Structure formats: structure tokens, C-alpha cells
Amino acid sequence: MNIVVYCGSSNGIGDRYLESARVLGKWIGESGNTLVYGGASKGLMGAVSDATLEAGGRVIGVLPNVSRIQARRHQGLTEYIDTSSMAERKAKMIELADAFVALPGGIGTLDELTDVMSLSSLDITTCPIVLYDTDGYYQPFKAVIRNIIENGFGRDEYFSRMLFSHDIEEISKFITGGR
């Protein structure tokens, strides 16, 4: 499977986010899956890609023609896909995906995450979506989703392909359908 991972290109505060990225990357590599991500060498992006490679997995970096992103390009990946824009990058990652995982991240991560959530709500994608909830990072976002539903702007089924979890075994089962 191609596991698309959205996450920060910085470390966040403390080591817990980096550790989650390493755990996820190790699982991707050891399970024979391929990591598809933004191609950076630093932060959570670097941690998840390095751990996947160390565990024997394939890593595809999808990088837009944006100088600030190109400057952080990981040099040791299995494959690179260069795109002309951020929009093309997002579309390419969605096209390649069999599952999506959002580690903690910033505005870019939320942008990518809400894009696939919207596509999922319209059944344009049927891939599982996981929010890797390290130390409750995504609980405020989960509250926003509850608020959307409670106020009639969405229905439970819009979010049925989503899992909030910090447990790699639960995440694995959700993504693979228990295989």
C-alpha cells in the first residue's frame, strides 16, 4: 500500500512527536508498505522517512517547485516526484494514496488533511484517514468535527473513514482492514 503521510517539517516541542513519526515510519517499512510524503529531510517529515528507509521500506517524496521546500529536500529517498505547484503536489499525493495518516503538523498539514476529508465526504476517495493523535494533539480538531455534526453541517457518515488514535496496532488494523 501507498501510505500518504502529512506532517510537520519541524519537530514540535519535545521528543514525543518525533517518536510517533519514527514509530509510524518503522511500521510502514516493516509492513512492506510505501511512504508517500512531502519529501523534506527535517522535522517529522525527516523522522518518518528515515525510519521507513531504515526498516527497509520504499519512500516517495513529492516536492513542489517552491524554493523553501526544495531547500529542505531529503537526499536519500527511493523516488522523487517533482511538481510545478503545491496544488499539483497535493493532487499527486492523493492520486497515489491507498491510505492517509496525519501526524502532528501545522497549517500545511491541516490544509492537506481537510482536503482529503472533503473528498472522503463526497466519496471521491474511499481511503482510510488516520489522525495520529500523539498526546491528544488532534482532540481540539475532533471537537470541531463534533461541532460540525451537532450543528447540522455534516453527518457522522462523512467521517466514518476516519480514526483518531495514537496506537500503531489500532492504526495498522484500521488501514489494512485487519489483514
Side-chain angles (χ1 to χ4, degrees), residues 15-176:
D15 293 332
R16 61 192 184 275
Y17 302 125
L18 283 170
E19 182 56 30
S20 293
R22 290 183 191 111
V23 167
L24 178 63
K26 182 178 178 189
W27 171 76
I28 291 170
E30 287 180 348
S31 61
N33 294 310
T34 298
L35 168 65
V36 178
Y37 85 117
S41 62
K42 304 290 184 208
L44 301 190
M45 285 187 174
V48 72
S49 60
D50 289 344
T52 302
L53 291 166
E54 288 166 11
R58 288 180 31 85
V59 178
I60 300 171
V62 184
L63 295 108
N65 187 17
V66 175
S67 59
R68 287 179 63 183
I69 293 173
Q70 288 289 337
R72 294 178 265 178
R73 183 184 192 102
H74 195 297
Q75 297 301 315
L77 304 183
T78 311
E79 182 180 344
Y80 298 89
I81 299 173
D82 290 301
T83 65
S84 62
S85 67
M86 291 294 287
E88 186 181 331
R89 173 202 208 181
K90 285 188 348 180
K92 176 53 82 174
M93 291 173 76
I94 291 167
E95 174 189 323
L96 294 172
D98 295 308
F100 300 96
V101 178
L103 285 161
I107 298 300
T109 302
L110 287 178
D111 172 53
E112 293 162 326
L113 177 59
T114 56
D115 199 10
V116 296
M117 287 172 60
S118 177
L119 295 174
S120 179
S121 75
L122 298 168
D123 293 324
I124 294 170
T125 183
T126 58
C127 298
I129 302 168
V130 174
L131 290 85
Y132 202 119
D133 199 25
T134 304
D135 287 350
Y137 183 82
Y138 280 113
Q139 289 306 301
F141 190 68
K142 189 174 186 179
V144 170
I145 292 169
R146 275 194 304 273
N147 192 51
I148 289 169
I149 294 166
E150 289 169 2
N151 285 285
F153 291 103
R155 296 191 305 266
D156 284 325
E157 60 264 22
Y158 289 176
F159 306 101
S160 64
R161 295 183 189 102
M162 290 179 61
L163 172 70
F164 289 79
S165 180
H166 66 278
D167 182 317
I168 195 65
E169 289 182 27
E170 182 181 24
I171 291 168
S172 172
K173 287 177 184 168
F174 185 77
I175 289 174
T176 64

